[in-house]
């Protein structure tokens, strides 16, 4: 406990008056020790400095104020950006190849089947392997014994389905539609490009 001598002088009847005042050390800020931090290191200095910074100032190491949303930390190396999608594979985007066959080969199998029909009676069930070359069936991805439904624009039960193929000329490229039933009885359809030999250049 320290003592402070206060001397009061002035005119009046009392004259001079001497008063001793005992001051508590807690009411006086002690001088900081040598090497001690002067701001932010102690409770008193930290509070006063925080008051100067504003209403939102917090003590060092204090938890965040309630009600404030905390942004999640970005993963290392991401830089807060979303990863770019991998480029698409050009091979996966390529269109499937169209089945193709020589017009002469297709006409040969159709002529063989149509010419061997007894009395030109078309049976109720015709398979692909009876009418089309094996390489065409393989390109269609259909079973060889699948039932033929349509050939060109005609049903397989119509004779024109075969005669129209035999009338095709080899002067230009043509497409032949083929429909069949898969193993589940669902009708499938695809097209075959009929190619012709290229005439030699003169």
């Amino acid at each position: 406990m320290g003592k402070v001598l206060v001397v009061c002088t002035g005119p009046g009847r009392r004259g001079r008056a001497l008063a001793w005042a005992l001051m508590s050390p807690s009411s006086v800020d002690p001088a900081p020790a040598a090497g001690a931090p002067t701001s932010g290191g102690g409770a008193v200095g930290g509070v006063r400095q925080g008051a100067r910074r504003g209403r939102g100032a917090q003590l060092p190491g204090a938890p965040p104020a309630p009600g404030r949303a905390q942004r999640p930390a970005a993963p290392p190396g991401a830089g807060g950006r979303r990863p770019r999608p991998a480029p698409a594979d050009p091979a996966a985007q390529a269109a499937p190849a169209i089945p193709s066959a020589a017009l002469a080969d297709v006409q040969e199998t159709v002529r063989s089947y149509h010419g061997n029909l007894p009395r030109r009676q078309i049976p109720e069930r015709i398979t692909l392997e009876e009418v089309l070359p094996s390489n065409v069936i393989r390109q269609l991805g259909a079973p060889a014994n699948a039932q033929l439904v349509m050939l060109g624009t005609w049903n397989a039960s119509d004779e024109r389905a075969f005669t129209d193929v035999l009338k095709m000329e080899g002067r230009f490229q043509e497409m032949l539609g083929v429909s069949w039933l898969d193993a589940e009885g669902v009708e499938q359809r695809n097209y075959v490009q009929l190619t012709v030999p290229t005439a030699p250049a003169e």
Side-chain angles (χ1 to χ4, degrees):
M1 179 180 295
K3 297 181 179 181
V4 179
L5 176 62
V6 180
V7 179
C8 299
T9 60
R13 292 177 299 176
R14 297 182 178 181
R16 297 179 179 180
L18 297 178
W20 288 92
L22 299 179
M23 304 296 291
S24 174
S26 59
S27 61
V28 180
D29 291 342
T38 57
S39 62
V44 177
V47 172
R48 292 180 177 177
Q49 186 175 3
R52 299 191 198 102
R53 293 176 182 175
R55 298 176 60 184
Q58 299 179 1
L59 294 178
R68 293 184 179 180
Q70 300 295 323
R71 178 180 297 180
R81 299 180 180 179
R82 296 182 178 179
R84 295 181 179 179
D89 186 5
Q93 299 179 351
I98 300 176
S100 62
L103 173 59
D105 294 343
V106 175
Q107 286 179 332
E108 181 180 355
T109 56
V110 171
R111 185 180 295 109
S112 176
Y113 175 79
H114 183 260
N116 292 328
L117 289 178
R119 299 181 183 181
R120 299 296 174 92
Q121 294 288 334
I122 300 177
E124 295 182 0
R125 189 178 190 277
I126 306 173
T127 61
L128 294 178
E129 59 186 352
E130 293 178 298
V131 180
L132 299 175
S134 58
N135 65 325
V136 174
I137 300 174
R138 184 169 54 252
Q139 293 181 70
L140 291 174
N145 61 348
Q147 180 179 351
L148 177 66
V149 178
M150 292 184 66
L151 187 63
T153 58
W154 303 100
N155 292 328
S157 58
D158 194 322
E159 189 177 3
R160 288 173 292 184
F162 307 100
T163 56
D164 280 5
V165 175
L166 298 176
K167 293 178 182 178
M168 288 182 178
E169 300 179 1
R171 293 180 299 177
F172 49 85
Q173 309 287 344
E174 295 192 59
M175 302 291 289
L176 177 64
V178 181
S179 301
W180 70 93
L181 297 180
D182 60 12
E184 298 180 355
V186 180
E187 181 175 337
Q188 305 292 337
R189 185 171 178 85
N190 204 343
Y191 291 85
V192 180
Q193 182 177 9
L194 303 177
T195 60
V196 294
T198 304
E202 297 181 356

